[in-house]
Amino acid sequence: MPRQTDRIAGVPKSRLQDLATREAKRFARARPETRAALELGAGAFLDSVPMHWMKDWPMPFPLLVREAKGARLTDIDGFGIDDFCLGDTGSMFGHSPKPVAKAIRKQARIGLTYMLPTEAALEAGALLTKRFGDFRWQIATTATDANRFALRVARAVTGRPKVLVFNGCYHGTVDDTMVALKDGKTIPRPGLVGQVADLTRTAVAAEFNDLASVEEALRSGEVAAILTEPVMTNSCMVLPEPGFHDGLRELATRYGALLIIDETHTISSGLGGYTRVHGLSPDIFVVGKCVAGGMPTAVWGLSPKLAEAFASYDAARAPGHSGMGTTLSANPMQFACLTATLSEVMTREAYARMEKGAARLEKGLAAVIAKHKAPWHVVRVGARVEFICAPGPLKNGSEAAQAHQPEVEAAIHTALLNRGCLIAPFHNMMLVSPATKKRQIDRLIAAFDEILTELFA
């Protein structure tokens, strides 16, 4: 038997390396057209990819997608792939939902951008309120921008400089959130490109599920807002402990800070997001990615009370650029897709199908882990499922970072892809869409079982 030091996440290192090497070769050998196309055309891009995150996929070179429909991709070598990544939530309701595709065709005939609203914009505002609650809405292109703008409003209204975020959090590429905890102190995250400003002057980090650390940070009187996801994602997923969100709301109110809930990933939780499903009461609500069916769109909304406070601030400020907004945000194509998604795609029936499928996936993956006695666990929030290569449940970002096993995950991701199943590259996230079939879920479970059989035999 291998010694524990010869293992990663319970897997013998030699066996893991054998799997990784074999699966990488299998992927490359099976895709001659993809390889040839990349060699011919990828050199025009920085580091050979049009967006640098595309290098984070664990396979030897990226897939080139020919088409995507429902919950399935086809690459240029002709391989059909069950898609559980779904654009990392951007296509959570499936690729090109019919109502959204129809709306795009119709809007394309009458103009793409005007920098003026349409009747569909008015309809979208009413639908946003119906779906997510009573907020005063603004439209952005990405959730990163929406979070940036929300923080400007929070600082304007409170007159305070800092945002409180949670260690290991993800809110897009907002500078203010790029901090971490080290030995109990806030530091800039390592590895940031071109970072020159001291991020600790405008941000403070606390641990998720640790209300005492939140209160300690709030006591300074410098915190304008708490910015949090309801569930920590884009890491090894961490669920909130009972009472945590009620505690955040109470502490924010007591210390005069605003509470911003970023639902960009947790929109998977159910109709209206985690906020509606669990009755949270944020001052600012943010959601992006799939809210317009895959069209680049995000929304952020202020509670009526906060909207009044901001209106007073805005009326008194000096004239000039607000530092918020981008030219193509709130374009008519976004509103066409928003109205189609909110009225016909993001429905109670769709979520019911998604959660039923996700529960099937969760149960199947957990059974495989138990069968092989792997020291791993499975976690789910609505339609979002993750297997984590460590015991659980996890409590905070520090535990999530320790649970992350890049070598194990990369080998499994490529092995799953070679068996026709695509999951998210950044972690072990899987989404079940309304278009995902039982047979696709069962194929993923069977592929996972086949891989673990080898790793833990």
Side-chain angles (χ1 to χ4, degrees):
M1 287 287 290
R3 298 188 305 275
Q4 197 62 33
T5 54
D6 295 330
R7 296 173 180 266
I8 303 175
V11 179
K13 291 181 181 178
S14 59
R15 196 173 294 169
L16 178 64
Q17 185 58 54
D18 288 346
L19 177 75
T21 301
R22 187 184 70 246
E23 296 296 336
K25 289 180 179 178
R26 177 180 171 183
F27 174 89
R29 188 170 56 246
R31 288 175 168 81
E33 290 191 33
T34 299
R35 186 196 291 271
L38 289 169
E39 289 175 354
L40 183 66
F45 295 107
L46 178 65
D47 208 13
S48 298
V49 287
M51 199 271 287
H52 68 96
W53 281 349
M54 292 177 180
K55 296 286 285 190
D56 289 349
W57 289 95
M59 51 274 211
F61 46 83
L63 288 175
L64 291 178
V65 177
R66 188 176 70 200
E67 67 172 345
K69 294 178 69 175
R72 196 159 168 83
L73 302 173
T74 304
D75 70 14
I76 68 167
D77 282 278
F79 288 99
I81 301 160
D82 295 329
D83 187 7
F84 291 90
C85 174
L86 295 169
D88 194 27
T89 309
S91 293
M92 188 179 77
F93 298 108
H95 295 287
S96 297
K98 288 182 180 179
V100 177
K102 180 180 177 182
I104 290 172
R105 287 193 298 270
K106 180 179 178 181
Q107 185 62 47
R109 292 195 294 267
I110 56 175
L112 301 180
T113 189
Y114 323 136
M115 218 168 88
L116 287 166
T118 60
E119 285 187 293
L122 307 181
E123 184 181 355
L127 287 169
L128 286 167
T129 297
K130 178 181 177 182
R131 183 63 69 233
F132 299 115
D134 188 14
F135 297 96
R136 302 298 177 261
W137 298 103
Q138 288 282 276
I139 309 299
T141 303
T142 69
T144 292
D145 281 342
N147 280 319
R148 285 194 183 108
F149 305 154
L151 288 177
R152 279 193 174 272
V153 169
R155 287 170 169 141
V157 170
T158 64
R160 298 176 178 182
K162 290 191 175 183
V163 55
L164 186 155
V165 295
F166 291 105
N167 186 37
C169 70
Y170 184 72
H171 299 285
T173 54
V174 181
D175 284 1
D176 307 71
T177 67
M178 297 296 178
V179 293
L181 281 177
K182 183 177 181 181
D183 301 325
K185 293 187 177 181
T186 301
I187 63 167
R189 285 195 190 182
L192 295 175
V193 174
Q195 184 62 47
V196 293
D198 180 4
L199 298 179
T200 64
R201 297 181 63 183
T202 54
V204 59
E207 286 286 16
F208 198 75
N209 282 322
D210 186 350
L211 291 172
S213 72
V214 172
E215 184 167 17
E216 182 179 352
L218 292 176
R219 282 198 187 102
S220 70
E222 296 180 303
V223 174
I226 301 167
L227 173 59
T228 185
E229 294 183 283
V231 175
M232 285 195 73
T233 68
N234 227 58
S235 61
C236 296
M237 194 158 64
V238 181
L239 299 176
E241 294 181 343
F244 177 64
H245 282 298
D246 289 341
L248 283 184
R249 177 67 275 176
E250 191 277 326
L251 287 172
T253 302
R254 190 196 315 170
Y255 287 95
L258 300 176
L259 179 60
I260 306 173
I261 296 291
D262 179 359
E263 289 264 20
T264 298
H265 281 155
T266 54
I267 190 68
S268 66
S269 302
L271 192 65
Y274 197 100
T275 294
R276 261 289 169 87
V277 171
H278 295 274
L280 306 188
S281 300
D283 299 296
I284 306 179
F285 179 91
V286 174
V287 65
K289 297 221 188 235
C290 65
V291 72
M295 176 62 61
T297 305
V299 301
W300 56 288
L302 310 183
S303 70
K305 181 179 178 182
L306 179 58
E308 289 182 12
F310 180 66
S312 297
Y313 165 87
D314 200 37
R317 73 178 175 90
H321 199 295
S322 66
M324 301 189 296
T326 55
T327 301
L328 295 179
S329 293
N331 67 65
M333 188 62 82
Q334 288 177 310
F335 287 121
C337 295
L338 261 174
T339 55
T341 301
L342 294 171
S343 61
E344 300 181 69
V345 177
M346 189 184 288
T347 64
R348 194 172 302 280
E349 294 75 20
Y351 272 106
R353 290 196 298 274
M354 292 159 67
E355 293 205 33
K356 185 177 180 180
R360 184 184 186 93
L361 178 57
E362 176 190 27
K363 182 179 178 181
L365 296 178
V368 171
I369 287 170
K371 170 184 171 182
H372 295 286
K373 298 184 173 61
W376 302 359
H377 72 288
V378 179
V379 63
R380 177 171 76 91
V381 56
R384 184 185 184 100
V385 181
E386 291 182 15
F387 64 86
I388 296 172
C389 304
L394 305 175
K395 184 177 180 180
N396 54 43
S398 293
E399 291 186 5
Q402 292 172 358
H404 183 42
Q405 300 291 345
E407 290 180 70
V408 179
E409 294 163 9
I412 293 174
H413 289 200
T414 303
L416 285 172
L417 182 54
N418 285 336
R419 289 155 179 80
C421 305
L422 184 73
I423 69 174
F426 310 114
H427 39 88
N428 303 320
M429 190 277 290
M430 295 153 283
L431 282 166
V432 174
S433 79
T436 305
K437 310 297 185 187
K438 283 183 181 179
R439 60 180 178 272
Q440 292 179 288
I441 294 169
D442 292 344
R443 280 197 293 260
L444 175 54
I445 295 167
F448 188 67
D449 188 16
E450 182 182 332
I451 296 162
L452 264 65
T453 296
E454 178 173 346
L455 291 179
F456 289 95

